[in-house]
């Protein structure tokens, strides 16, 4: 057993890295988007499109980051990712040229794959064991509150320093603190997978070809697409229902509060039932939450409650993905297996907001869009039951 202080320090390090990585690498671009667009005189869709490219790059690099983590450990991967992410953000702040700006945020997406939840989950799973969900919950709570701190901080920096200097300051601070934290605190011994070479590849491929892997991943990917399509298009949905801009923004903020609630509720429920039944329950909760968002249009309190529920389900969904792997296949090659498992889910989450907006435009209504994704989540329940 490792010394308690060392484990506590490692968990604190993971929490701080997630808090900073989500706050800086993930949220800076959408928070500063309108100021960047205005200052650079780019068309309005450019920055959201660049953000989507960044998220897709992060998803695509997930399996690669998982393999690196199993081989070299989370300390090297997170420290390297944080340094690379800071450099990429620095480039985005320095360049006035759109192609270099796109390149910078594409590289930042690759850095996200090395610094966001998947690598932290792999570290916590090995250092604290597969039967303890509370370290994962604590890590996601740290990541969850980052937007609450960094949204106003980033906005204030942009207003006072301008968008280039603000991004440069965030990049420098992030690179220094996140890289230093990883090197100083993520020091518990890392055990590489027992299997190596061809044996390791055959082990991972065998899991990836299994019925449990394929159907569980597909069910959670369908749920992710719906959760991110609806919750990240909540503003236009609420305005369609007749909410004013300020009121809609307040309700949208409750989605974030709901995520924290969902992660807290997940902890005492994480050991109930079987891995399959827990996945079925998660996907069914997604269908219910999206259905309520579609069905409830008044009064405002009920709409707000539906938004909180959708946020709570989205928050628990993150933990469901992590434990779906550890509950079924344990610690052996967890980072590599999780990287493969999470790829489709991460792609669905990255594309969800754009798919939601396109579906709403095609259907003529954000409520109709939400209903379509609720129906897809209901179909995903049947997929989860086959896992």
């Amino acid at each position: 057993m490792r010394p308690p202080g060392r484990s506590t320090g490692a968990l604190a390090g993971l929490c701080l890295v997630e808090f900073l990585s989500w706050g800086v690498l993930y949220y800076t671009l959408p928070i500063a988007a309108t100021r960047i667009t205005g200052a650079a005189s780019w068309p309005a869709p450019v920055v959201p499109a660049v953000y989507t490219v960044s998220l897709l790059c992060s998803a695509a690099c997930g399996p690669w980051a998982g393999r690196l983590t199993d081989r070299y450990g989370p300390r090297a991967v997170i420290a390297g990712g944080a340094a690379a992410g800071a450099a990429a953000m620095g480039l985005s702040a320095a360049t006035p040229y759109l192609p270099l700006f796109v390149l910078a945020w594409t590289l930042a997406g690759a850095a996200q794959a090395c610094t966001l939840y998947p690598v932290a989950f792999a570290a916590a799973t090995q250092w604290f064991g597969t039967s303890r969900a509370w370290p994962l919950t604590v890590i996601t709570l740290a990541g969850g509150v980052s937007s609450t701190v960094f949204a106003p901080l980033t906005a204030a920096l942009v207003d006072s320093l301008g968008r280039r200097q603000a991004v440069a300051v965030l990049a420098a601070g992030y690179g220094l603190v996140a890289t230093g934290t990883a090197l100083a605190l993520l020091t518990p011994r890392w055990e590489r997978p027992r299997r190596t070479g061809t044996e390791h590849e055959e082990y991972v491929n065998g899991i990836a070809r299994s019925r449990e892997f394929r159907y569980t991943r597909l069910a959670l990917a369908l749920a992710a697409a719906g959760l991110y399509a609806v919750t990240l298009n909540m503003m236009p949905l609420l305005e369609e229902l007749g909410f004013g801009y300020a009121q809609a923004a307040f309700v949208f903020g409750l989605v974030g509060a709901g995520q924290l609630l969902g992660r807290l509720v997940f902890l005492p429920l994480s050991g109930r039932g079987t891995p399959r039944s827990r996945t079925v329950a998660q996907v069914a909760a997604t269908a219910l939450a999206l259905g309520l968002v579609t069905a409830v249009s008044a009064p405002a309190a009920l709409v707000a409650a539906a938004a909180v529920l959708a946020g709570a389900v989205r928050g628990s969904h993150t933990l469901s993905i992590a434990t779906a792997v550890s509950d079924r296949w344990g610690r052996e090659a967890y980072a590599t297996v999780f990287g493969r498992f999470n790829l489709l889910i991460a792609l669905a989450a990255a594309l969800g907001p754009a798919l939601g907006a396109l579906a709403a435009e095609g259907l003529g209504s954000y409520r109709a869009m939400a209903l379509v994704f609720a129906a897809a989540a209901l179909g995903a329940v049947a997929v989860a039951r086959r896992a």
Side-chain angles (χ1 to χ4, degrees):
M1 181 179 294
R2 294 176 179 84
R6 194 179 183 190
S7 297
T8 302
L11 181 59
L14 290 171
C15 288
L16 181 55
V17 165
E18 292 310 300
F19 173 75
L20 294 170
S21 297
W22 283 97
V24 178
L25 283 183
Y26 189 87
Y27 286 116
T28 294
L29 193 56
I31 291 168
T34 56
R35 297 301 177 88
I36 293 172
T37 300
S41 299
W42 293 334
V46 165
V47 175
V50 171
Y51 186 54
T52 300
V53 169
S54 179
L55 297 182
L56 290 174
C57 181
S58 176
C61 289
W64 165 74
R67 292 192 298 270
L68 287 180
T69 302
D70 269 336
R71 183 171 182 178
Y72 298 108
R75 182 172 183 253
V77 172
I78 291 176
M89 285 186 62
L91 174 61
S92 79
T95 182
Y97 303 110
L98 181 57
L100 283 178
F101 185 83
V102 174
L103 174 63
W105 280 102
T106 302
L107 294 175
Q112 289 176 28
C114 296
T115 55
L116 297 184
Y117 288 144
V119 176
F121 288 162
T125 297
Q126 181 170 132
W127 292 339
F128 297 95
T130 59
S131 62
R132 307 171 77 183
W134 68 266
L136 303 181
T137 303
V138 172
I139 289 167
T140 57
L141 289 176
V145 300
S146 63
S147 62
T148 306
V149 174
F150 278 95
L153 174 61
T154 301
L157 287 173
V158 171
D159 281 340
S160 61
L161 301 178
R163 64 98 177 173
R164 285 190 180 181
Q165 290 81 358
V167 173
V169 167
L170 288 168
Y174 171 73
L176 179 64
V177 179
T179 304
T181 297
L183 293 174
L185 296 181
L186 305 187
T187 55
R189 185 170 63 90
W190 183 254
E191 298 175 4
R192 294 183 178 181
R194 294 190 304 274
R195 300 170 178 85
T196 58
T198 302
E199 185 184 5
H200 171 79
E201 292 180 9
E202 290 177 350
Y203 173 75
V204 173
N205 289 336
I207 291 174
R209 288 192 296 264
S210 70
R211 182 187 187 93
E212 293 85 354
F213 184 99
R214 291 182 291 110
Y215 283 106
T216 302
R217 181 177 65 171
L218 178 58
L220 289 172
L222 289 170
L227 286 168
Y228 283 82
V230 174
T231 59
L232 293 182
N233 283 293
M234 188 68 74
M235 285 291 291
L237 172 61
L238 292 168
E239 290 179 309
E240 182 179 281
L241 295 176
F243 283 70
Y245 179 77
Q247 192 178 24
F250 174 77
V251 175
F252 180 76
L254 294 178
V255 174
Q259 286 192 86
L260 299 180
L261 175 64
R263 287 163 183 168
L264 289 172
V265 171
F266 181 90
L267 183 58
L269 300 177
S270 60
R272 303 289 182 92
T274 64
R276 183 178 69 172
S277 68
R278 289 194 290 273
T279 301
V280 170
Q282 174 64 43
V283 178
T286 299
L288 173 63
L290 298 182
L292 286 176
V293 168
T294 304
V296 176
S297 58
L302 282 180
V303 177
V308 170
L309 177 61
V313 174
R314 198 176 104 183
S316 65
H317 184 267
T318 302
L319 292 168
S320 292
I321 300 167
T323 56
V325 174
S326 59
D327 287 346
R328 289 166 175 80
W329 300 291
R331 291 169 46 181
E332 174 69 11
Y334 176 92
T336 301
V337 174
F338 186 85
R340 293 272 292 270
F341 184 82
N342 191 52
L343 174 59
L344 182 63
I345 301 168
L347 288 172
L351 290 171
L355 291 175
L358 289 172
E361 182 177 355
L363 296 168
S365 165
Y366 280 90
R367 290 187 74 184
M369 174 272 291
L371 180 61
V372 167
F373 281 103
L378 191 60
V381 174
V383 175
R385 288 175 61 86
R386 297 188 65 185

